[in-house]
Structure formats: C-alpha cells, structure tokens
C-alpha cells in the first residue's frame, strides 16, 4: 500500500522563495554572460553560448542522478514522494538534455561548420536523451500507479550509467568536442577567471531554476495522486 | 529445499525444453539474423560490408534484435499458458524467472551467434586474423546482452505497447555493450590481440554488473 504523506516544506513553503531566487540568479547570470565576461580570443561572442550550454548539461546530469536516487527511494520505501520526485526530475532532465543538444548544435554550426557530427559526446548525449524519453514513455503507457512507479524505478536505476559515459566519452574516445575544463582530472580549471566566474554563476542560476521546477512539478504530481486516491 | 541457483537452473532448463519442443523463438531469431546477413551486402555494398568495423557492427545489431525477438517470444509463451503466475507465486520465483530467462537466452543466443558468424564469414567472405580472440569476444558479447534484454522485456510485460517499448528502452541501454562487442570483434578480425582482449574484459564487466543489478532490482517489477 502506498502513501501520499510527505513533507510540504520543499514543495509548498520553499517554492515561492525558489522562484524569486531563480529570477534574481537568472538576471545576474544573463548580465555576466552577455556583458561582464570577455569575448573568447578565438571564437569571439559565439563562445558565450557556453554559459547556457554547460549549465544545461550539468543540470541534465544532476536531474538524472536525482531520478536514480528517487528510484532507489521508491524501491526501498514505496513512498509516493520518491516517485513524484523521480518523474519530475526525469521530465526536467529530458528538457535540459534537449536544450543541451539544441544549444550545442547552434554553437557547432559557426565553429565546426556543421549542425551535427558523429562524435562521442554528441552521440552519447543523444542516446541519454532517447533513454529518458523511453523512461517517460514507459510511465505514460502503464496505468496502474504502483506498477508504473516500480517499472520506471528499475529503468531509473539502470539508466544512470549513461551519466558518467556521457561525461567521460570525450576522454575515452577520439573526440572533436572540447575536453573538460572545469571538472577535469588534471588539476585546476583551464579558463579565464571572469569566464569561470560567469560559468559558475550560470550553473548556480540553472540549479536554482531546476529546484524551483522540481518543487512545482512534484506538487502537481502529488496533487494528481491525491485526486486519484480520493 | 531448492537453492536460488537451483531454481534459476530449473527455469532455464524448462525454457530450453520448451524451445526444443516448439523452437519458434530460435527459428525466428536465426531467420532474422540470416536475412540481415544476406541483406547487408545488398544494402551496404559487397566491398564496404567486408570492412571489419561495418561487418562487426551489423552482426551485433542483428544479434541484439534477435535477442529481443527471442526474449519476447519466451515471455509470450509464459503469458499464453498463464505459467508465469505459477512461477511468480513460488518462493524466490521472480528471481528464478529473471535469472533463468537470462541464462536460457545466453544459450539460445549462442546458437544464433554461431549460425550468424558462420554465415557472415562464408557469405561476406570475411577474413579473421585471430579466430580464438573473435570466439572469446562473441561468447562474452552473447553473455553481456541478455541481462538488459530480459530486464526490458520483463518490465514491459502485459503492456500493449511492448513491441514498441522494448527496442526504445533496450537499444540506448545496450550502447556500451554494442560498442565493446563491435570494437572487440573488429580488433580480432584485424589481428589486434590486445584490443580484442581489452574489449573482452569490458564485456565481462558489463555482463557481471548488469546481471547483479538485474537480479537485485528486476524481480520486484515482474508481475
């Protein structure tokens, strides 16, 4: 038997504050990305897309790791809250992965001369996108709540393997894609100070936006579940 | 009292007996692989298809779809005769069902791979520099696919859209295995022993990780 009892702090009390923080962080990040950060020596202003592209990719990783943790939570405890977090995070993850692919394409055209090329980072990211679309498809095609949540949780646990594969694909295989410049094994970030600061503010802004969207979507999912139970 | 491994062997044995009595899953998988091998040279061109990377990639994709066909047929047989309910009702039945199905699929896929490999070598006139290494890669590739294929088929059990969902779920999940099997096979064909052994090790690791993961979480989702 499942239960919809959950702590409302995250979804109800924190959500308005997360909304305000998201807006403020987005304004600061936009100013820094478009005005404060210097243009790249070789790429010029095209490089500024990195301030959105990298945070969306980071958010996709984070979202799918949250799906993994929430899936384990569901399999362990059968608490509805975990399933709601899993579905909310998967939807946001798919959205951000799609944005990563589109933004990457927009950057690739003036830089590489093509919208798409068959290189490991792009292909593994597209594969990850397809896998989580499959996850959402599996959810939408199952009618019984508990079965749907359990099936989806199994996929949520297995599919997380994609996250390290996508991140490390550029170091494992010959790749056109830029190697990691911030989270790299070799030492400190290889990025100009102002560029790095802008990137980190962008990552922070997108993380707050993710938390806001997650809180809103979890609330919707729990409301839906309550109505079904009533 | 039968042990967990004993129960798994029982299910695998039952599966193989059912396949021997009515080998529709095996026939479908072998026919599918043979048709793909025949079509390869027509579609890709006889010169291109002999390139080790292309031949290996097409072989493993064919084998993956054959595995999906065979696993789906195996679960269909259970559903048609309502046998699955009896197995699930037994103590440890779900674990035995997942493990047994995966084990039986390894055996069945081994046959399909042997036929597909012989057909590929004979019809496409492939040259194999390191036959022993190729055999090792094929054996480990055959072991690495079933844990994920059976997982996906089991998760979509009793869903009307199963035929559509299984490839959508299985193909992205099996990308690492497909890459390792393709690169390993191509390395064995071109005489790169170190490459073939390296990819074989990776396939073994995938097989172990996914088998353990599958046995830990999939049984809970079998209905």
């Amino acid at each position: 038997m499942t239960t919809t009892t959950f702590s409302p702090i995250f979804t109800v009390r924190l959500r308005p504050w997360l909304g305000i923080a998201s807006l403020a962080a987005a304004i600061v990040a936009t100013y820094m990305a478009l005005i404060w950060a210097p243009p790249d020596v070789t790429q010029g202003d095209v490089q500024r897309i990195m301030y959105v592209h990298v945070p969306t990719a980071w958010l996709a990783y984070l979202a799918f790791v949250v799906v993994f943790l929430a899936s384990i939570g569901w399999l362990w405890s059968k608490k509805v809250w975990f399933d709601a977090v899993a579905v909310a995070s998967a939807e946001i993850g798919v959205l951000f992965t799609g944005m990563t692919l589109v933004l990457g394409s927009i950057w690739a055209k003036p830089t590489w001369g093509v919208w798409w090329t068959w290189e490991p980072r792009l292909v593994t990211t597209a594969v990850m996108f397809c896998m989580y679309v499959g996850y959402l498809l599996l959810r939408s095609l199952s009618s019984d709540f508990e079965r749907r949540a359990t099936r989806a949780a199994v996929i949520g646990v297995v599919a997380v393997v994609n996250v390290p594969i996508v991140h490390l694909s550029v170091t494992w295989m010959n790749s056109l894609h830029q190697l990691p410049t911030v989270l790299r094994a070799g030492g400190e970030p290889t990025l100009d100070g102002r560029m790095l600061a802008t990137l980190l503010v962008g990552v922070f802004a997108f993380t707050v936006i993710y938390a806001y969207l997650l809180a809103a979507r979890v609330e919707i999912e729990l409301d839906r579940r309550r109505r079904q139970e009533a | 009292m039968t042990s967990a491994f004993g129960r798994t062997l029982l299910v695998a044995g039952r599966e193989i007996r059912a396949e021997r009595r009515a080998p529709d899953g095996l026939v479908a998988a072998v026919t599918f692989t043979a048709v793909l091998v025949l079509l390869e040279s027509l579609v890709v061109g006889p010169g291109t298809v002999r390139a080790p990377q292309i031949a290996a990639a097409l072989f493993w994709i064919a084998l993956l779809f054959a595995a999906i066909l065979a696993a789906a047929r195996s679960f269909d047989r259970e559903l048609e005769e309502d046998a699955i309910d009896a197995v699930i009702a037994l103590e440890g039945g779900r674990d035995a069902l997942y493990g047994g199905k995966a084990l039986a699929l390894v055996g069945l896929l081994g046959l399909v791979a042997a036929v597909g490999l012989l057909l590929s070598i004979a019809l496409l006139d492939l040259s194999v520099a390191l036959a022993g290494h190729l055999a090792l890669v094929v054996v480990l590739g055959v072991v690495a696919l079933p844990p994920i294929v059976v997982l996906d088929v089991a998760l979509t059990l009793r869903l009307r859209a199963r035929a559509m969902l299984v490839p959508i779920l299985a193909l992205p999940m099996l990308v690492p295995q497909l890459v390792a099997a393709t690169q390993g096979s191509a390395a064995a064909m071109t005489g790169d022993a170190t490459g073939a052994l390296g990819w074989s090790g990776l396939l073994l690791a995938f097989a172990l990780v996914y088998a353990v993961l599958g046995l830990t979480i999939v049984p809970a989702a079998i209905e």
Side-chain angles (χ1 to χ4, degrees), chain B residues 139-206:
Chain B
V139 167
L140 291 172
V142 160
V143 175
L145 296 182
I148 292 286
V149 172
V150 174
L151 178 154
D152 287 319
V153 175
L155 285 184
T156 52
L157 212 62
R158 301 184 210 267
L159 284 181
R160 272 177 302 166
R162 195 180 75 188
M164 175 188 78
L165 264 176
V166 172
I168 290 176
L169 293 172
L171 285 171
M173 279 187 197
L174 284 164
V175 165
Q177 286 88 331
L178 279 180
V179 170
T182 301
Q183 297 295 335
S185 305
M189 286 164 80
T190 52
D192 175 8
T194 316
L197 290 175
W199 289 111
S200 299
L202 207 55
L203 281 171
L204 183 64
F206 284 137

Side-chain angles (χ1 to χ4, degrees), chain A residues 145-166:
Chain A
F145 170 75
E146 200 161 339
R147 285 178 184 175
R148 177 179 64 209
T150 305
R151 283 169 169 161
V154 172
I155 298 289
V157 170
V158 177
V160 79
V161 173
N162 262 285
V163 173
I165 288 176
V166 172

Side-chain angles (χ1 to χ4, degrees), chain A residues 5-72:
Chain A
T5 54
F6 66 102
S7 166
I9 294 171
F10 177 61
T11 54
V12 178
R13 288 188 207 161
L14 267 182
R15 195 156 70 88
W17 295 107
L18 283 172
I20 293 165
S22 300
L23 189 65
I27 290 168
V28 173
T30 306
Y31 168 77
M32 290 176 79
L34 295 179
I35 298 162
W36 190 71
D40 186 74
V41 178
T42 49
Q43 293 178 33
D45 284 331
V46 174
Q47 174 270 340
R48 291 182 194 276
I49 208 163
M50 176 189 77
Y51 302 124
V52 189
H53 175 69
V54 174
T56 53
W58 145 250
L59 247 297
Y61 292 168
L62 175 70
F64 296 143
V65 169
V66 170
V67 174
F68 165 73
L69 295 173
S71 298
I72 289 178

